[in-house]
Coordinates of all heavy atoms in Angstrom, one line a residue:
M1317 N 18.7 5.1 0.5 CA 17.5 5.6 -0.2 C 16.4 5.9 0.8 O 16.1 5.2 1.7 CB 17.0 4.5 -1.2 CG 15.7 4.8 -1.8 SD 15.3 3.8 -3.3 CE 13.8 4.6 -3.8
A1318 N 15.8 7.1 0.6 CA 14.7 7.5 1.5 C 13.4 7.2 0.9 O 13.2 7.3 -0.3 CB 14.9 9.0 1.7
W1319 N 12.5 6.8 1.8 CA 11.2 6.5 1.3 C 10.2 7.5 1.9 O 10.2 7.8 3.1 CB 10.8 5.1 1.8 CG 11.6 4.0 1.2 CD1 12.8 3.6 1.6 CD2 11.2 3.2 0.0 NE1 13.3 2.6 0.7 CE2 12.3 2.3 -0.2 CE3 10.1 3.2 -0.8 CZ2 12.3 1.4 -1.3 CZ3 10.1 2.3 -1.8 CH2 11.2 1.4 -2.1
E1320 N 9.3 8.0 1.0 CA 8.3 8.9 1.4 C 7.0 8.2 1.6 O 6.7 7.3 0.9 CB 8.2 10.0 0.3 CG 8.2 11.4 0.9 CD 8.0 12.4 -0.2 OE1 9.0 12.8 -0.8 OE2 6.9 12.9 -0.4
C1321 N 6.2 8.7 2.6 CA 5.0 8.0 2.9 C 4.0 8.1 1.7 O 3.4 7.1 1.3 CB 4.3 8.7 4.1 SG 2.6 8.2 4.4
G1322 N 3.8 9.2 1.1 CA 3.1 9.3 -0.2 C 1.6 9.4 0.0 O 0.8 9.6 -1.0
I1323 N 1.1 9.2 1.2 CA -0.4 9.4 1.4 C -0.6 10.9 1.5 O 0.2 11.7 2.0 CB -0.8 8.7 2.7 CG1 -0.7 7.2 2.6 CG2 -2.2 9.2 3.1 CD1 -1.0 6.5 3.9
D1324 N -1.7 11.3 0.8 CA -2.1 12.8 0.7 C -1.8 13.6 2.0 O -2.4 13.2 3.0 CB -3.5 12.9 0.3 CG -3.7 12.4 -1.2 OD1 -2.7 12.2 -1.9 OD2 -4.9 12.3 -1.6
G1325 N -1.0 14.6 1.8 CA -0.8 15.5 3.0 C 0.2 15.1 3.9 O 0.5 15.8 4.9
C1326 N 0.7 13.9 3.8 CA 1.7 13.4 4.7 C 3.1 13.3 4.0 O 3.2 12.7 3.0 CB 1.4 12.0 5.2 SG 2.6 11.3 6.3
N1327 N 4.1 14.0 4.5 CA 5.4 14.0 3.8 C 6.4 13.3 4.7 O 7.6 13.6 4.5 CB 5.8 15.4 3.5 CG 4.8 16.1 2.5 OD1 4.4 15.5 1.5 ND2 4.4 17.3 2.9
A1328 N 6.0 12.4 5.5 CA 7.0 11.8 6.4 C 8.0 10.9 5.5 O 7.6 10.3 4.5 CB 6.3 10.8 7.4
V1329 N 9.2 11.0 5.9 CA 10.3 10.3 5.2 C 11.0 9.3 6.1 O 11.2 9.6 7.3 CB 11.3 11.3 4.6 CG1 12.4 10.6 3.9 CG2 10.6 12.2 3.6
F1330 N 11.3 8.1 5.6 CA 11.9 7.1 6.4 C 13.1 6.5 5.7 O 13.2 6.6 4.5 CB 10.9 6.0 6.7 CG 9.6 6.5 7.4 CD1 8.5 6.9 6.7 CD2 9.6 6.5 8.8 CE1 7.4 7.4 7.3 CE2 8.5 7.0 9.4 CZ 7.4 7.4 8.7
E1331 N 14.0 5.9 6.5 CA 15.2 5.3 5.9 C 14.9 4.0 5.2 O 15.7 3.6 4.3 CB 16.2 5.2 7.0 CG 17.0 6.4 7.2 CD 18.0 6.3 8.3 OE1 18.4 5.1 8.7 OE2 18.4 7.3 8.9
D1332 N 13.9 3.3 5.7 CA 13.7 2.0 5.0 C 12.2 1.8 4.8 O 11.3 2.5 5.4 CB 14.3 0.8 5.8 CG 13.7 0.8 7.2 OD1 12.5 0.4 7.4 OD2 14.4 1.2 8.2
V1333 N 11.9 0.9 3.8 CA 10.6 0.8 3.3 C 9.7 0.2 4.4 O 8.5 0.5 4.5 CB 10.5 0.0 2.0 CG1 11.0 -1.5 2.2 CG2 9.2 0.0 1.4
E1334 N 10.2 -0.7 5.2 CA 9.4 -1.3 6.3 C 8.9 -0.3 7.3 O 7.7 -0.3 7.6 CB 10.3 -2.4 7.1 CG 10.6 -3.6 6.3 CD 11.9 -3.5 5.4 OE1 12.5 -2.4 5.5 OE2 12.2 -4.4 4.6
S1335 N 9.7 0.7 7.7 CA 9.3 1.7 8.6 C 8.2 2.5 8.0 O 7.2 3.0 8.6 CB 10.4 2.7 8.9 OG 11.5 1.9 9.5
T1336 N 8.3 2.8 6.6 CA 7.3 3.5 6.0 C 5.9 2.8 6.0 O 4.9 3.4 6.3 CB 7.7 3.7 4.5 OG1 9.0 4.1 4.4 CG2 6.8 4.8 3.8
I1337 N 5.9 1.5 5.7 CA 4.7 0.8 5.7 C 4.1 0.6 7.1 O 2.9 0.8 7.3 CB 5.0 -0.6 5.1 CG1 5.3 -0.4 3.6 CG2 3.7 -1.5 5.2 CD1 5.8 -1.7 2.9
V1338 N 4.9 0.4 8.1 CA 4.4 0.4 9.5 C 3.8 1.7 9.9 O 2.8 1.8 10.5 CB 5.6 0.0 10.5 CG1 5.1 0.1 11.9 CG2 6.0 -1.5 10.2
H1339 N 4.5 2.8 9.5 CA 4.0 4.1 9.7 C 2.6 4.3 9.1 O 1.6 4.7 9.7 CB 4.9 5.2 9.1 CG 4.3 6.5 8.8 ND1 4.0 7.5 9.7 CD2 3.8 7.0 7.6 CE1 3.4 8.5 9.1 NE2 3.3 8.2 7.8
Q1340 N 2.4 3.9 7.8 CA 1.2 4.0 7.1 C 0.1 3.2 7.8 O -1.1 3.7 7.9 CB 1.3 3.5 5.7 CG 2.2 4.5 4.8 CD 2.3 4.0 3.4 OE1 2.3 2.8 3.1 NE2 2.5 4.9 2.5
A1341 N 0.5 2.1 8.3 CA -0.5 1.2 8.9 C -0.9 1.6 10.3 O -2.0 1.3 10.8 CB 0.0 -0.3 8.9
T1342 N 0.0 2.3 11.0 CA -0.3 2.7 12.4 C -0.7 4.2 12.6 O -1.5 4.5 13.5 CB 0.9 2.4 13.3 OG1 2.0 3.0 12.8 CG2 1.1 0.9 13.4
E1343 N -0.2 5.0 11.8 CA -0.4 6.5 11.9 C -1.6 7.0 11.1 O -2.1 8.1 11.4 CB 0.8 7.3 11.6 CG 2.1 6.9 12.3 CD 2.1 7.2 13.8 OE1 1.6 8.3 14.1 OE2 2.6 6.4 14.6
H1344 N -1.9 6.3 10.1 CA -3.0 6.7 9.2 C -4.3 5.9 9.5 O -4.2 4.8 10.0 CB -2.6 6.6 7.8 CG -1.6 7.6 7.3 ND1 -1.9 8.9 7.0 CD2 -0.2 7.5 7.2 CE1 -0.8 9.5 6.7 NE2 0.2 8.7 6.8
T1345 N -5.4 6.5 9.2 CA -6.7 5.9 9.4 C -6.8 4.7 8.4 O -6.5 4.8 7.2 CB -7.8 6.9 9.1 OG1 -7.5 8.1 9.8 CG2 -9.2 6.4 9.5
R1346 N -7.4 3.6 8.9 CA -7.6 2.5 8.0 C -8.7 2.8 7.0 O -9.5 3.6 7.2 CB -8.0 1.3 8.8 CG -6.8 0.7 9.6 CD -7.2 -0.3 10.7 NE -6.0 -0.9 11.2 CZ -5.7 -2.2 10.9 NH1 -6.6 -3.0 10.2 NH2 -4.6 -2.7 11.3
Q1347 N -8.5 2.2 5.8 CA -9.4 2.4 4.7 C -10.3 1.2 4.5 O -9.8 0.1 4.6 CB -8.6 2.8 3.5 CG -7.7 3.9 3.6 CD -8.4 5.2 3.7 OE1 -9.4 5.5 3.1 NE2 -7.9 6.1 4.6
E1348 N -11.5 1.5 4.0 CA -12.4 0.4 3.6 C -12.1 0.1 2.1 O -12.2 1.0 1.3 CB -13.8 0.7 3.9 CG -14.7 -0.4 4.0 CD -16.1 0.0 4.3 OE1 -16.3 0.5 5.4 OE2 -17.0 -0.2 3.5
C1349 N -11.8 -1.1 1.8 CA -11.6 -1.5 0.4 C -13.0 -1.2 -0.3 O -14.0 -1.7 0.1 CB -11.2 -3.0 0.3 SG -11.2 -3.5 -1.4
K1350 N -12.9 -0.5 -1.5 CA -14.1 -0.2 -2.2 C -14.6 -1.3 -3.0 O -15.7 -1.3 -3.5 CB -13.8 1.0 -3.1 CG -13.6 2.3 -2.4 CD -13.5 3.5 -3.3 CE -13.1 4.8 -2.6 NZ -12.9 5.9 -3.5
V1351 N -13.9 -2.4 -3.1 CA -14.4 -3.6 -3.8 C -15.1 -4.5 -2.9 O -16.2 -4.9 -3.2 CB -13.2 -4.3 -4.6 CG1 -13.7 -5.5 -5.3 CG2 -12.4 -3.3 -5.5
C1352 N -14.5 -4.9 -1.8 CA -15.1 -5.9 -0.9 C -15.5 -5.4 0.5 O -16.1 -6.2 1.2 CB -14.1 -7.1 -0.8 SG -12.6 -6.7 0.1
G1353 N -15.1 -4.2 0.8 CA -15.5 -3.7 2.1 C -14.6 -4.0 3.3 O -14.9 -3.6 4.4
T1354 N -13.6 -4.8 3.0 CA -12.6 -5.2 4.1 C -11.9 -3.9 4.5 O -11.5 -3.1 3.7 CB -11.6 -6.2 3.6 OG1 -12.3 -7.4 3.1 CG2 -10.6 -6.6 4.7
V1355 N -11.7 -3.8 5.8 CA -10.9 -2.6 6.3 C -9.4 -3.0 6.3 O -9.0 -4.0 6.9 CB -11.4 -2.2 7.7 CG1 -10.5 -1.1 8.3 CG2 -12.9 -1.8 7.7
V1356 N -8.7 -2.2 5.6 CA -7.2 -2.5 5.4 C -6.4 -1.3 5.8 O -6.9 -0.1 5.7 CB -6.9 -2.9 4.0 CG1 -7.4 -4.3 3.7 CG2 -7.4 -1.9 3.0
P1357 N -5.2 -1.5 6.3 CA -4.3 -0.3 6.5 C -4.1 0.5 5.3 O -4.1 0.0 4.2 CB -3.0 -1.0 7.0 CG -3.3 -2.4 7.4 CD -4.5 -2.8 6.5
D1358 N -4.0 1.8 5.5 CA -3.8 2.7 4.4 C -2.4 2.6 3.7 O -1.6 2.0 4.3 CB -4.0 4.2 4.9 CG -4.4 5.1 3.8 OD1 -4.5 4.7 2.6 OD2 -4.6 6.3 4.1
G1359 N -2.3 3.1 2.5 CA -1.0 3.2 1.9 C -0.7 1.9 1.1 O -1.6 1.3 0.5
Y1360 N 0.5 1.4 1.3 CA 1.0 0.3 0.5 C 0.1 -1.0 0.7 O -0.2 -1.7 -0.2 CB 2.4 -0.1 0.9 CG 2.9 -1.4 0.4 CD1 3.2 -1.6 -1.0 CD2 3.1 -2.5 1.2 CE1 3.6 -2.8 -1.5 CE2 3.5 -3.7 0.8 CZ 3.7 -3.9 -0.6 OH 4.1 -5.1 -1.0
L1361 N -0.3 -1.2 2.0 CA -1.0 -2.4 2.3 C -2.4 -2.4 1.6 O -3.0 -3.4 1.3 CB -1.1 -2.7 3.8 CG 0.3 -3.0 4.4 CD1 0.1 -3.1 5.9 CD2 0.8 -4.4 3.9
A1362 N -3.0 -1.2 1.5 CA -4.3 -1.1 0.9 C -4.2 -1.4 -0.6 O -5.0 -2.1 -1.2 CB -4.8 0.4 1.1
I1363 N -3.1 -0.8 -1.2 CA -2.9 -1.1 -2.6 C -2.6 -2.6 -2.9 O -3.1 -3.2 -3.8 CB -1.7 -0.2 -3.1 CG1 -2.0 1.3 -3.0 CG2 -1.4 -0.6 -4.6 CD1 -0.8 2.2 -3.3
R1364 N -1.8 -3.1 -2.0 CA -1.4 -4.5 -2.1 C -2.7 -5.4 -2.0 O -2.9 -6.3 -2.8 CB -0.4 -4.9 -1.0 CG 0.2 -6.3 -1.1 CD 1.3 -6.4 -0.1 NE 2.2 -7.5 -0.4 CZ 2.1 -8.7 0.2 NH1 1.2 -8.9 1.1 NH2 3.0 -9.6 -0.2
H1365 N -3.6 -5.1 -1.1 CA -4.8 -5.8 -0.9 C -5.6 -5.7 -2.2 O -6.0 -6.7 -2.8 CB -5.6 -5.2 0.2 CG -7.1 -5.7 0.2 ND1 -7.5 -6.9 0.8 CD2 -8.2 -5.2 -0.4 CE1 -8.8 -7.0 0.6 NE2 -9.2 -6.0 -0.1
A1366 N -5.8 -4.5 -2.7 CA -6.6 -4.3 -3.9 C -6.1 -5.1 -5.1 O -6.8 -5.7 -5.9 CB -6.7 -2.8 -4.2
F1367 N -4.7 -5.1 -5.3 CA -4.2 -5.8 -6.4 C -4.0 -7.3 -6.3 O -3.8 -8.0 -7.3 CB -2.9 -5.1 -6.9 CG -3.2 -3.8 -7.6 CD1 -3.3 -2.6 -7.0 CD2 -3.4 -3.8 -9.0 CE1 -3.5 -1.4 -7.6 CE2 -3.6 -2.6 -9.7 CZ -3.7 -1.4 -9.0
T1368 N -3.9 -7.7 -5.1 CA -3.7 -9.2 -4.9 C -5.1 -9.9 -4.7 O -5.2 -11.0 -5.1 CB -2.8 -9.5 -3.7 OG1 -3.2 -8.9 -2.6 CG2 -1.3 -9.1 -4.0
E1369 N -6.0 -9.2 -4.1 CA -7.3 -9.9 -3.8 C -8.3 -9.6 -5.0 O -9.3 -10.4 -5.1 CB -7.9 -9.3 -2.5 CG -7.1 -9.5 -1.3 CD -6.9 -10.9 -0.9 OE1 -7.8 -11.7 -1.1 OE2 -5.8 -11.3 -0.4
H1370 N -8.1 -8.6 -5.7 CA -9.1 -8.3 -6.8 C -8.4 -8.2 -8.1 O -7.2 -7.9 -8.2 CB -9.8 -7.0 -6.4 CG -10.3 -7.0 -5.0 ND1 -11.3 -7.9 -4.6 CD2 -10.1 -6.2 -4.0 CE1 -11.6 -7.6 -3.4 NE2 -10.9 -6.7 -2.9
S1371 N -9.2 -8.3 -9.2 CA -8.7 -8.1 -10.5 C -8.5 -6.6 -10.8 O -9.1 -5.8 -10.2 CB -9.6 -8.7 -11.5 OG -10.8 -7.9 -11.7
R1372 N -7.7 -6.4 -11.8 CA -7.4 -5.0 -12.2 C -8.7 -4.3 -12.6 O -9.0 -3.1 -12.3 CB -6.4 -5.0 -13.4 CG -5.8 -3.7 -13.6 CD -4.9 -3.7 -14.8 NE -3.9 -4.8 -14.7 CZ -2.9 -4.8 -15.6 NH1 -2.8 -4.0 -16.6 NH2 -2.0 -5.8 -15.5
A1373 N -9.6 -5.1 -13.3 CA -10.9 -4.5 -13.8 C -11.8 -4.1 -12.6 O -12.4 -3.1 -12.6 CB -11.6 -5.6 -14.6
E1374 N -11.8 -5.0 -11.5 CA -12.6 -4.6 -10.3 C -12.0 -3.3 -9.7 O -12.8 -2.5 -9.3 CB -12.5 -5.8 -9.3 CG -13.3 -7.0 -9.6 CD -13.1 -8.1 -8.6 OE1 -12.0 -8.3 -8.2 OE2 -14.1 -8.7 -8.3
Y1375 N -10.7 -3.2 -9.7 CA -10.1 -2.1 -9.1 C -10.5 -0.8 -9.8 O -10.8 0.2 -9.2 CB -8.5 -2.2 -9.0 CG -7.8 -1.1 -8.4 CD1 -7.7 -1.0 -7.0 CD2 -7.3 -0.1 -9.2 CE1 -7.1 0.1 -6.4 CE2 -6.6 1.0 -8.6 CZ -6.5 1.1 -7.2 OH -5.9 2.2 -6.7
V1376 N -10.3 -0.9 -11.1 CA -10.7 0.3 -12.0 C -12.1 0.7 -11.8 O -12.4 1.9 -11.6 CB -10.4 -0.1 -13.5 CG1 -11.0 1.0 -14.4 CG2 -8.9 -0.2 -13.7
R1377 N -13.0 -0.3 -11.7 CA -14.4 0.0 -11.6 C -14.7 0.6 -10.2 O -15.4 1.6 -10.1 CB -15.2 -1.3 -11.7 CG -16.5 -1.1 -12.6 CD -17.3 -2.4 -12.7 NE -16.5 -3.5 -13.3 CZ -16.4 -4.7 -12.8 NH1 -17.0 -5.1 -11.7 NH2 -15.7 -5.6 -13.5
A1378 N -14.2 0.1 -9.2 CA -14.5 0.5 -7.8 C -13.8 1.9 -7.5 O -14.4 2.7 -6.8 CB -14.0 -0.5 -6.8
Y1379 N -12.6 2.1 -8.0 CA -11.9 3.3 -7.7 C -11.9 4.4 -8.8 O -11.4 5.5 -8.6 CB -10.4 3.0 -7.3 CG -10.3 2.3 -6.0 CD1 -10.5 0.9 -5.8 CD2 -10.0 3.0 -4.8 CE1 -10.4 0.3 -4.6 CE2 -10.0 2.4 -3.6 CZ -10.1 1.1 -3.5 OH -10.0 0.5 -2.3
G1380 N -12.4 4.0 -9.9 CA -12.4 5.0 -11.0 C -11.0 5.3 -11.5 O -10.8 6.5 -11.8
A1381 N -10.1 4.4 -11.3 CA -8.7 4.7 -11.6 C -8.5 4.6 -13.1 O -9.1 3.8 -13.9 CB -7.8 3.6 -10.9
S1382 N -7.5 5.5 -13.6 CA -7.2 5.4 -15.0 C -6.1 4.4 -15.2 O -5.5 3.9 -14.2 CB -6.5 6.8 -15.4 OG -5.3 7.0 -14.7
S1383 N -5.9 4.0 -16.4 CA -4.9 2.9 -16.7 C -3.5 3.4 -16.3 O -2.7 2.6 -15.9 CB -4.9 2.5 -18.2 OG -4.7 3.6 -19.0
E1384 N -3.3 4.7 -16.3 CA -2.0 5.2 -15.9 C -1.8 5.0 -14.3 O -0.8 4.7 -13.8 CB -1.8 6.7 -16.2 CG -0.4 7.2 -16.1 CD -0.3 8.7 -16.2 OE1 -1.2 9.4 -16.6 OE2 0.8 9.2 -15.8
E1385 N -2.9 5.3 -13.6 CA -2.9 5.1 -12.2 C -2.6 3.7 -11.8 O -1.9 3.3 -10.9 CB -4.2 5.6 -11.5 CG -4.3 7.1 -11.5 CD -5.7 7.6 -11.1 OE1 -6.7 7.0 -11.4 OE2 -5.7 8.7 -10.4
V1386 N -3.3 2.8 -12.6 CA -3.1 1.4 -12.3 C -1.6 1.0 -12.6 O -1.0 0.3 -11.8 CB -4.0 0.5 -13.2 CG1 -3.7 -1.0 -13.2 CG2 -5.5 0.7 -12.8
R1387 N -1.1 1.4 -13.7 CA 0.3 1.1 -14.0 C 1.3 1.6 -12.9 O 2.2 1.0 -12.5 CB 0.7 1.7 -15.3 CG 0.5 0.8 -16.5 CD 1.3 1.2 -17.7 NE 1.0 2.6 -18.1 CZ 0.0 3.0 -18.9 NH1 -0.8 2.1 -19.4 NH2 -0.2 4.3 -19.2
N1388 N 1.0 2.9 -12.4 CA 1.8 3.5 -11.4 C 1.8 2.6 -10.1 O 2.8 2.4 -9.5 CB 1.4 4.9 -11.0 CG 1.8 5.9 -12.1 OD1 2.6 5.6 -13.0 ND2 1.1 7.0 -12.1
R1389 N 0.6 2.2 -9.8 CA 0.5 1.4 -8.5 C 1.1 0.0 -8.7 O 1.7 -0.5 -7.7 CB -1.0 1.3 -8.1 CG -1.5 2.6 -7.5 CD -3.0 2.6 -7.2 NE -3.4 3.8 -6.5 CZ -3.4 5.0 -7.0 NH1 -3.0 5.2 -8.3 NH2 -3.8 6.0 -6.3
E1390 N 1.0 -0.6 -9.8 CA 1.6 -1.9 -10.1 C 3.1 -1.8 -10.0 O 3.8 -2.6 -9.5 CB 1.1 -2.5 -11.4 CG -0.3 -3.0 -11.3 CD -0.8 -3.5 -12.7 OE1 -0.3 -3.1 -13.7 OE2 -1.7 -4.3 -12.7
A1391 N 3.6 -0.7 -10.6 CA 5.1 -0.5 -10.6 C 5.6 -0.3 -9.1 O 6.6 -0.8 -8.7 CB 5.4 0.8 -11.4
L1392 N 4.8 0.4 -8.3 CA 5.1 0.7 -6.9 C 5.1 -0.6 -6.2 O 6.0 -0.9 -5.4 CB 4.1 1.7 -6.3 CG 4.3 2.1 -4.9 CD1 5.5 3.1 -4.8 CD2 3.1 2.7 -4.3
L1393 N 4.1 -1.4 -6.4 CA 4.0 -2.7 -5.7 C 5.2 -3.6 -6.0 O 5.8 -4.2 -5.1 CB 2.7 -3.5 -6.1 CG 1.4 -3.0 -5.5 CD1 0.3 -4.0 -6.0 CD2 1.5 -3.0 -4.0
E1394 N 5.6 -3.6 -7.3 CA 6.7 -4.4 -7.7 C 8.0 -4.0 -7.1 O 8.8 -4.8 -6.5 CB 6.9 -4.4 -9.2 CG 6.7 -5.7 -9.9 CD 6.7 -5.6 -11.4 OE1 7.7 -5.2 -12.0 OE2 5.6 -5.7 -12.0
E1395 N 8.1 -2.7 -7.1 CA 9.3 -2.0 -6.5 C 9.4 -2.4 -5.0 O 10.5 -2.8 -4.5 CB 9.3 -0.5 -6.7 CG 10.5 0.2 -6.3 CD 10.4 1.7 -6.3 OE1 9.3 2.2 -6.9 OE2 11.2 2.4 -5.8
I1396 N 8.3 -2.3 -4.3 CA 8.3 -2.5 -2.8 C 8.4 -4.0 -2.5 O 9.2 -4.4 -1.6 CB 7.1 -1.9 -2.2 CG1 7.2 -0.4 -2.3 CG2 7.0 -2.3 -0.7 CD1 6.0 0.4 -1.7
D1397 N 7.8 -4.8 -3.3 CA 7.8 -6.3 -3.1 C 9.3 -6.8 -3.2 O 9.7 -7.7 -2.5 CB 7.0 -7.0 -4.2 CG 5.6 -7.2 -3.7 OD1 5.3 -6.9 -2.6 OD2 4.7 -7.6 -4.6
D1398 N 10.1 -6.1 -4.1 CA 11.5 -6.5 -4.2 C 12.3 -6.3 -3.0 O 13.2 -7.0 -2.7 CB 12.1 -5.7 -5.4 CG 11.8 -6.4 -6.7 OD1 11.2 -7.5 -6.7 OD2 12.1 -5.8 -7.8
V1399 N 12.0 -5.2 -2.3 CA 12.9 -4.8 -1.2 C 12.3 -5.0 0.2 O 13.0 -5.0 1.2 CB 13.3 -3.3 -1.4 CG1 14.2 -3.2 -2.6 CG2 12.1 -2.4 -1.4
A1400 N 10.9 -5.0 0.3 CA 10.3 -5.0 1.6 C 10.4 -6.4 2.3 O 10.2 -7.4 1.6 CB 8.9 -4.6 1.6
D1401 N 10.7 -6.4 3.6 CA 10.7 -7.7 4.3 C 9.3 -7.8 5.0 O 9.0 -7.2 6.0 CB 11.8 -7.6 5.4 CG 11.8 -8.9 6.2 OD1 10.9 -9.7 6.2 OD2 12.8 -9.0 6.9
M1402 N 8.4 -8.5 4.3 CA 7.0 -8.5 4.7 C 6.8 -9.2 6.1 O 5.9 -8.8 6.8 CB 6.1 -9.2 3.7 CG 5.9 -8.4 2.4 SD 5.4 -6.7 2.6 CE 3.7 -6.9 3.3
E1403 N 7.7 -10.1 6.4 CA 7.6 -10.8 7.7 C 7.9 -9.8 8.8 O 7.3 -9.8 9.9 CB 8.6 -12.0 7.7 CG 7.9 -13.3 7.4 CD 8.9 -14.4 7.4 OE1 9.6 -14.6 8.4 OE2 8.9 -15.1 6.3
A1404 N 9.0 -9.0 8.6 CA 9.3 -8.0 9.6 C 8.2 -7.0 9.8 O 7.9 -6.6 10.9 CB 10.6 -7.3 9.1
I1405 N 7.5 -6.7 8.7 CA 6.4 -5.7 8.8 C 5.3 -6.4 9.6 O 4.7 -5.7 10.5 CB 5.9 -5.3 7.4 CG1 7.0 -4.5 6.7 CG2 4.6 -4.5 7.5 CD1 6.8 -4.3 5.3
A1406 N 4.9 -7.6 9.3 CA 3.8 -8.3 10.0 C 4.1 -8.4 11.5 O 3.3 -8.2 12.3 CB 3.6 -9.7 9.3
T1407 N 5.4 -8.8 11.8 CA 5.8 -8.9 13.2 C 5.6 -7.5 13.9 O 5.1 -7.5 15.0 CB 7.3 -9.3 13.3 OG1 7.4 -10.5 12.5 CG2 7.7 -9.6 14.7
E1408 N 6.1 -6.5 13.2 CA 6.0 -5.1 13.8 C 4.5 -4.7 14.1 O 4.2 -4.2 15.1 CB 6.7 -4.2 12.8 CG 6.9 -2.8 13.4 CD 8.0 -2.8 14.4 OE1 8.9 -3.6 14.4 OE2 7.9 -2.0 15.4
L1409 N 3.7 -5.1 13.1 CA 2.3 -4.7 13.2 C 1.5 -5.5 14.3 O 0.5 -5.1 14.7 CB 1.6 -4.8 11.9 CG 2.0 -3.8 10.8 CD1 1.3 -4.0 9.5 CD2 1.9 -2.4 11.3
K1410 N 2.0 -6.7 14.7 CA 1.3 -7.5 15.7 C 1.6 -7.0 17.1 O 0.9 -7.4 18.0 CB 1.8 -8.9 15.5 CG 0.8 -9.8 14.6 CD 1.2 -11.2 14.6 CE 1.3 -11.7 13.2 NZ 2.4 -12.6 12.9
R1411 N 2.6 -6.2 17.3 CA 2.9 -5.7 18.6 C 1.8 -4.9 19.2 O 1.1 -4.1 18.6 CB 4.1 -4.8 18.6 CG 5.4 -5.7 18.5 CD 6.6 -4.8 18.6 NE 7.7 -5.5 18.0 CZ 8.9 -4.8 17.8 NH1 9.0 -3.6 18.0 NH2 9.9 -5.5 17.3
Ligands
ZN448 ZN1 2.2 9.1 6.4
ZN449 ZN1 -11.0 -5.8 -1.2

């Protein structure tokens, strides 16, 4: 299965989800969380931060997201959580 980066304007494709997330965290500009101001890697890790550190209501308020966008992101998180080796990603990012 191929994974696409998914960040606007970037069509990079990777063989595994870990490479995709490492790519997002290293090749893309870090983003400031609109809820708490923490600077987080773009892409999956930004979404993960928003949904694990903040409530859905906070996310909707800060990002002006529709309920469909929230559902899409939650589905994406679940899908990636199932397959991603977060330890491998963390190790890779510490280098
Ligand atoms: Zn990308
Ligand atoms: Zn935050």
Side-chain angles (χ1 to χ4, degrees):
M1317 172 163 184
W1319 293 83
E1320 226 182 279
C1321 171
I1323 292 173
D1324 291 347
C1326 178
N1327 297 312
V1329 176
F1330 300 90
E1331 273 177 22
D1332 57 75
V1333 67
E1334 290 84 5
S1335 305
T1336 314
I1337 294 169
V1338 169
H1339 156 82
Q1340 292 179 328
T1342 54
E1343 306 289 324
H1344 288 280
T1345 313
R1346 286 168 170 250
Q1347 304 289 321
E1348 201 175 296
C1349 171
K1350 289 186 186 173
V1351 181
C1352 67
T1354 301
V1355 176
V1356 289
D1358 202 1
Y1360 169 73
L1361 293 172
I1363 297 172
R1364 190 170 197 260
H1365 165 87
F1367 281 91
T1368 53
E1369 302 294 323
H1370 308 299
S1371 71
R1372 198 184 304 189
E1374 284 175 321
Y1375 182 82
V1376 168
R1377 223 180 301 132
Y1379 286 86
S1382 67
S1383 53
E1384 195 193 344
E1385 286 169 328
V1386 170
R1387 269 198 306 275
N1388 286 344
R1389 282 171 175 71
E1390 282 176 340
L1392 184 73
L1393 282 185
E1394 240 171 71
E1395 190 188 345
I1396 293 177
D1397 274 347
D1398 277 354
V1399 293
D1401 181 345
M1402 290 310 293
E1403 264 176 56
I1405 293 165
T1407 307
E1408 192 67 35
L1409 291 179
K1410 264 185 228 141
R1411 280 188 201 166

